[in-house]
Amino acid sequence: MKHSESISKPLIIFIVSALLFSCQPDTVTETDEDVVSLVSPPLPTKLTNGSDARPNIVFIFSDDHSYEAVSAYGGRLSKVAPTPNLDRIASEGIRFDNCFVTNALCGPSRAVIQTGKHSHLNGFMENEHRFDGSQQTFPKLLQKGGYETAVIGKWHLGTDPQGFDFWNVLPGQGTYYAPDFRTPNGLASGTPGEYVTEAVVTKSIEWLEQERNKDKPFMLMLQHKAPHRFWLPPVHLLEEYVAKKYPEPKNLFDDYKGRGTPAQTQDMTLRVTMDLALDNKMVPFRQDRMNEAQKEKWNEVYDQIREDVLSKRPQGDDLVRWKYQRYMADYLACIKSLDESVGTMLEYLEESGLDENTVVIYASDQGFFLGEHGWFDKRFMYEESLKTPLLVRWPGVAKAGTVIKQMVSNLDFAQTFLDLAGIEQPSDMQGKSLKPLFEGKEPPDWRESVYYHYYCFPEYHAVRRHDGVRNSRYKLMHFYDLNEWELFDLEKDPMEMKSVHDDPEYAEALSHMKGELAKLREEYQVPPAPKLRKGETLFPPWREFGTFEIGLQDKGWIYLFDGKSLKGWRQPFATNPGEPLSQIAESTGIKVVDGEIHLSLSPQVFYLHTLEFSDFILELEAFTPSKNFDSGIGFRCVLPKGKQLPVGYQSEISDIRSGGIYDIGVGWMNPTDEEAKINDFVDRTGTFYKASAWNQIRVMCKGDRIKTWVNGQLCSDVKDSKHQVGTIGLQHHSKEGVYRFRNIRIQEI
Ligand code: CA
């Protein structure tokens, strides 16, 4: 067909992701006693029977776990959602009350832990970056020093793990149900019925029991996906957690008046940003990875909530309160499951006798807002996001029930692990070993403040770039792109409701903290911030999406396919120029089969619906073969008058490489020019779309902005002024296979 050229190029797309990324020491002997003895007594490296007596390390690491949701910290949720197994680590060991992260974001926190260096030195400043695994990391040093190393669970650093004898990691963010795992031998498909938190622990125990070299001490990084957004609990906990009533934070209805532009212009409120459909699960999505029993249980619980809320339709503050309760039920049920899995691991360690010589460390990659300031998510240097839980159990060494107030950081973990193993800490690492604190010592000259730096703007949630310093009394934050400062007196204002940076009474404190910030920037070799990316940011909040006004209406959907005929769909290619586009008849290339539209007959099939739309929500289900290129649903396909083809501009959800991933495309991308970009995207989001299975796709278009979800995961949030009013199209562009679509419906907004 003569139009094949003009269609084939445009179907390759450019992606903006929604979610959403040397040196070796000369020699490292098992122990350098001179170095180790500076901080602790030399450790025996060999017992008389020949085995290595250095302690094992089990590092249990979660994602977005607020200290408020660990009952050992005694916060407002501790009674309603206790975590007895985590509390046991604290009561049998140590609770750190002041552990802070250097950059409150998933990937960057992990890179800091790998390297013991701040983001600007390890190169991983944003989730979209890819970790340079060739650099010095603590697992490599442990391995060289005689440790057996493993990482199991969420990795989120893009590139393959290095320095590990064993690794099984979740692709990208991973999935809660039937999670796939990346392994050195390729992708291992998820097992139906499995839940991610349990799967990670099961794999960890299998490794401990069967895989590892038992002659060596080991380091296990057991890294959970939970409780990351969208907080999908295991079904056995749904009813219990839905039935509870969760105490609200005092500042749930914060008006942001005591703070500057950043707090007032973020996009992370329960009120506006929290999506009723996806965050609060008020559409029946995200079930394709559940087995039948799980689906049944899930629907039993959520259908009832949905029915109830759609009949009441709370508004304003009532809606915020309702969302908060829903959010806490899901988040805390994920935490409960996490806590159960910690119990499983502690029991295993006990039963196997490993517990006596194993240091168990629990931490999260950063904190999370649980309604404080009216927010969810993290990123800001405010306490809930900056602070992470840190619990340590080391039988025979760490005194039971210890509480440590010293300021520690995820920057310290790498050196702590090395120190525990009696391995020299490289001088270019920037933290401090916590081992002396574990041992109950009071190291002199402990740090008085910590440095923080968040780099992502424009970015999701619209948090401005900032760095800052926190000591035991004050916190200073500098939003340098706006040249705005915030200073908090944490003693008088622990909830950080009013910045005192311009209060004359705090002039001295301000000056001191500015000096401290300058000192830390110099000490950590912080370069000037990278140039601010172009763009206004702000995917400005879409207020309507947080309410019942749109999206959840049970009425207002227009079905673009009645399940029986191709009524309303047209062939875009007129036989002669100027001819009107015609209603299509069923042909071998497009057929209705069992309530589905089947597209085949390659190449180039492109059908458009006669209705035109400007701002809308589109939902549909798609089933595509695994090895085809470049097909899918196009929408807002602009068909200028007099033209026969959708030219000029088109965005689409499309298979961009080889059946692996669907996402929205904006603009055209040539795969040969942009291969690295496409590969990077596929690596990070490859779990969302499943080939040879039904996938649920939801698109919201408004103005120049489009958000896309695939199987309930937000995949992209893009702006492009070229978007116009257009029609919905279906296309098939591959050499073989049948592309199936069903339940195509649209709602104008
Ligand atoms: Ca995280």
Side-chain angles (χ1 to χ4, degrees):
M1 290 193 270
K2 69 176 185 176
H3 46 259
S4 63
E5 278 273 314
S6 38
I7 269 200
S8 63
K9 285 264 163 85
L11 296 182
I12 319 291
I13 56 180
F14 172 75
I15 303 300
V16 179
S17 158
L19 292 181
L20 348 175
F21 6 3
S22 104
C23 55
Q24 296 284 359
D26 295 330
T27 52
V28 180
T29 52
E30 287 195 338
T31 312
D32 181 334
E33 294 198 354
D34 289 340
V35 173
V36 173
S37 63
L38 293 175
V39 290
S40 56
L43 289 160
T45 59
K46 297 280 182 190
L47 292 180
T48 46
N49 66 6
S51 65
D52 192 329
R54 292 178 294 172
N56 307 305
I57 304 165
V58 173
F59 179 63
I60 307 177
F61 192 58
S62 58
D63 194 322
D64 297 352
H65 192 177
S66 166
Y67 58 90
E68 276 288 346
V70 178
S71 49
Y73 284 97
R76 73 175 193 276
L77 301 166
S78 55
K79 287 207 171 62
V80 69
T83 52
N85 295 296
L86 288 169
D87 293 6
R88 194 187 139 193
I89 301 177
S91 65
E92 293 177 1
I94 307 168
R95 186 188 84 200
F96 281 84
D97 281 2
N98 289 300
C99 182
F100 304 103
V101 296
T102 62
N103 181 353
L105 205 56
C106 304
S109 175
R110 283 151 217 267
V112 166
I113 291 170
Q114 286 291 306
T115 59
K117 293 176 184 172
H118 275 280
S119 305
H120 59 271
L121 293 183
N122 68 44
F124 198 105
M125 295 148 90
E126 309 190 25
N127 277 343
E128 284 67 26
H129 290 168
R130 288 168 73 80
F131 184 63
D132 171 12
S134 71
Q135 64 187 304
Q136 169 185 278
T137 63
F138 85 81
K140 290 182 192 171
L141 299 176
L142 279 183
Q143 223 180 11
K144 241 185 165 177
Y147 268 62
E148 182 92 339
T149 56
V151 59
I152 297 169
K154 186 170 173 183
W155 175 243
H156 205 196
L157 289 172
T159 47
D160 285 352
Q162 292 188 36
F164 294 96
D165 296 296
F166 180 90
W167 57 270
N168 264 212
V169 298
L170 301 168
Q173 296 279 3
T175 59
Y176 273 102
Y177 282 87
D180 295 335
F181 283 86
R182 282 169 61 208
T183 79
N185 304 318
L187 194 73
S189 289
T191 309
E194 261 190 344
Y195 183 70
V196 67
T197 303
E198 293 154 5
V200 168
V201 171
T202 303
K203 276 182 189 292
S204 297
I205 291 176
E206 277 169 11
W207 178 76
L208 287 171
E209 192 67 13
Q210 298 159 17
E211 301 268 343
R212 74 187 163 95
N213 178 346
K214 293 186 178 171
D215 294 333
K216 292 180 174 181
F218 64 82
M219 161 75 193
L220 167 64
M221 302 187 86
L222 189 167
Q223 310 204 138
H224 288 291
K225 169 182 175 63
H228 195 277
R229 195 183 186 193
F230 294 88
W231 323 296
L232 268 60
V235 292
H236 75 276
L237 294 170
L238 290 180
E239 279 169 319
E240 181 189 347
Y241 276 75
V242 161
K244 292 173 192 263
K245 171 92 177 136
Y246 302 95
E248 292 170 4
K250 289 193 182 108
N251 54 1
L252 180 61
F253 297 103
D254 193 344
D255 60 9
Y256 314 116
K257 278 186 184 151
R259 281 122 308 157
T261 309
Q264 290 165 19
T265 58
Q266 43 59 42
D267 181 15
M268 50 196 274
T269 60
L270 272 66
R271 186 181 297 272
V272 172
T273 317
M274 183 169 275
D275 188 306
L276 275 166
L278 295 154
D279 290 313
N280 299 133
K281 303 165 185 71
M282 290 296 103
V283 294
F285 261 29
R286 266 197 301 287
Q287 295 187 323
D288 62 308
R289 300 187 79 93
M290 294 181 188
N291 66 19
E292 288 308 313
Q294 289 169 331
K295 272 185 208 171
E296 197 178 320
K297 188 75 210 168
W298 183 277
N299 290 338
E300 187 187 316
V301 175
Y302 283 92
D303 284 354
Q304 205 177 336
I305 300 171
R306 190 159 47 243
E307 199 176 311
D308 179 59
V309 79
L310 286 174
S311 70
K312 293 177 184 153
R313 292 184 186 260
Q315 301 292 331
D317 289 356
D318 289 341
L319 181 56
V320 173
R321 291 202 162 93
W322 179 87
K323 284 182 173 182
Y324 171 75
Q325 294 297 327
R326 287 287 324 116
Y327 170 33
M328 286 301 94
D330 290 343
Y331 181 93
L332 294 168
C334 290
I335 295 296
K336 175 66 180 176
S337 158
L338 187 66
D339 186 69
E340 288 175 345
S341 82
V342 169
T344 305
M345 178 51 72
L346 293 178
E347 271 168 38
Y348 169 76
L349 292 174
E350 246 169 23
E351 283 164 13
S352 61
L354 284 170
D355 61 322
E356 289 304 318
N357 194 32
T358 297
V359 188
V360 176
I361 301 173
Y362 181 82
S364 173
D365 60 351
Q366 72 275 153
F368 212 65
F369 294 100
L370 301 182
E372 298 90 356
H373 303 287
W375 292 335
F376 65 101
D377 211 71
K378 54 254 180 179
R379 299 163 197 271
F380 272 118
M381 197 189 165
Y382 300 120
E383 287 294 271
E384 293 81 0
S385 154
L386 175 70
K387 196 186 274 194
T388 178
L390 176 63
L391 310 171
V392 178
R393 180 182 182 275
W394 189 4
V397 179
K399 198 172 152 223
T402 305
V403 173
I404 291 183
K405 299 286 184 188
Q406 271 95 341
M407 305 186 80
V408 304
S409 168
N410 61 342
L411 190 65
D412 301 329
F413 293 174
Q415 280 161 266
T416 303
F417 301 144
L418 294 173
D419 197 9
L420 286 170
I423 293 169
E424 185 179 349
Q425 302 162 40
S427 59
D428 60 349
M429 286 190 174
Q430 298 182 307
K432 280 172 171 294
S433 168
L434 305 180
K435 181 164 165 272
L437 296 174
F438 293 178
E439 293 164 333
K441 295 177 182 161
E442 291 270 344
D445 305 323
W446 193 259
R447 68 164 69 86
E448 286 176 6
S449 58
V450 290
Y451 177 73
Y452 181 86
H453 202 148
Y454 173 76
Y455 291 93
C456 308
F457 188 87
E459 179 62 276
Y460 304 97
H461 296 303
V463 173
R464 296 284 182 159
R465 302 198 297 181
H466 57 295
D467 70 350
V469 57
R470 185 202 191 280
N471 67 15
S472 58
R473 173 78 187 265
Y474 296 108
K475 182 186 292 178
L476 179 69
M477 296 158 74
H478 187 216
F479 298 91
Y480 45 82
D481 294 321
L482 303 165
N483 200 24
E484 286 190 23
W485 296 87
E486 290 184 2
L487 177 72
F488 297 97
D489 182 340
L490 298 169
E491 198 175 287
K492 293 189 175 159
D493 180 20
M495 289 196 297
E496 299 167 302
M497 299 298 281
K498 182 161 175 46
S499 171
V500 292
H501 67 282
D502 55 359
D503 182 336
E505 281 188 27
Y506 285 92
E508 201 178 313
L510 179 67
S511 162
H512 172 75
M513 292 304 281
K514 281 188 173 175
E516 197 68 12
L517 183 57
K519 193 184 91 186
L520 290 184
R521 280 176 182 157
E522 192 179 333
E523 182 184 329
Y524 292 130
Q525 308 156 47
V526 183
K531 205 172 158 212
L532 185 63
R533 285 197 279 266
K534 279 192 178 167
E536 290 296 309
T537 110
L538 282 193
F539 296 118
W542 285 0
R543 296 189 175 272
E544 305 89 321
F545 291 155
T547 73
F548 286 106
E549 300 312 305
I550 62 156
L552 292 181
Q553 292 171 11
D554 29 17
K555 289 176 188 162
W557 288 103
I558 303 166
Y559 283 81
L560 298 181
F561 171 55
D562 63 8
K564 294 176 193 148
S565 75
L566 294 168
K567 194 178 159 198
W569 295 85
R570 62 187 177 177
Q571 164 66 275
F573 315 120
T575 314
N576 300 307
E579 259 182 29
L581 304 179
S582 57
Q583 163 69 39
I584 52 172
E586 274 199 54
S587 69
T588 49
I590 181 165
K591 277 201 263 194
V592 174
V593 181
D594 296 336
E596 301 167 7
I597 295 180
H598 286 200
L599 295 183
S600 58
L601 185 65
S602 65
Q604 328 299 359
V605 186
F606 200 114
Y607 298 100
L608 300 168
H609 200 276
T610 47
L611 291 175
E612 292 198 339
F613 304 92
S614 53
D615 294 345
F616 59 84
I617 300 171
L618 171 71
E619 291 182 357
L620 59 98
E621 292 175 291
F623 186 111
T624 55
S626 56
K627 289 290 173 193
N628 276 296
F629 187 79
D630 206 4
S631 297
I633 300 288
F635 57 94
R636 287 195 182 190
C637 309
V638 179
L639 199 64
K641 215 175 176 182
K643 297 271 186 181
Q644 297 183 340
L645 292 172
V647 294
Y649 194 76
Q650 169 192 324
S651 48
E652 67 171 47
I653 306 166
S654 180
D655 181 343
I656 61 167
R657 203 169 59 170
S658 59
I661 180 66
Y662 268 56
D663 202 286
I664 189 173
V666 174
W668 314 134
M669 177 191 277
N670 183 324
T672 52
D673 296 341
E674 302 283 357
E675 196 177 350
K677 238 180 208 174
I678 293 176
N679 286 343
D680 178 54
F681 179 80
V682 171
D683 284 350
R684 285 186 291 108
T685 59
T687 55
F688 302 149
Y689 189 87
K690 206 171 164 100
S692 298
W694 283 106
N695 294 272
Q696 293 162 317
I697 293 165
R698 184 186 204 210
V699 181
M700 291 185 187
C701 292
K702 191 182 177 196
D704 60 358
R705 185 164 166 206
I706 304 179
K707 276 183 166 184
T708 307
W709 289 263
V710 174
N711 293 324
Q713 298 277 355
L714 183 65
C715 282
S716 69
D717 186 346
V718 294
K719 286 174 80 167
D720 195 299
S721 59
K722 284 178 282 185
H723 287 292
Q724 298 176 40
V725 173
T727 55
I728 305 300
L730 295 176
Q731 58 202 7
H732 176 253
H733 191 250
S734 61
K735 293 207 165 59
E736 58 187 18
V738 177
Y739 283 63
R740 299 156 62 185
F741 303 100
R742 69 184 185 193
N743 295 330
I744 309 167
R745 62 181 193 168
I746 196 163
Q747 189 177 124
E748 291 208 82
I749 55 176

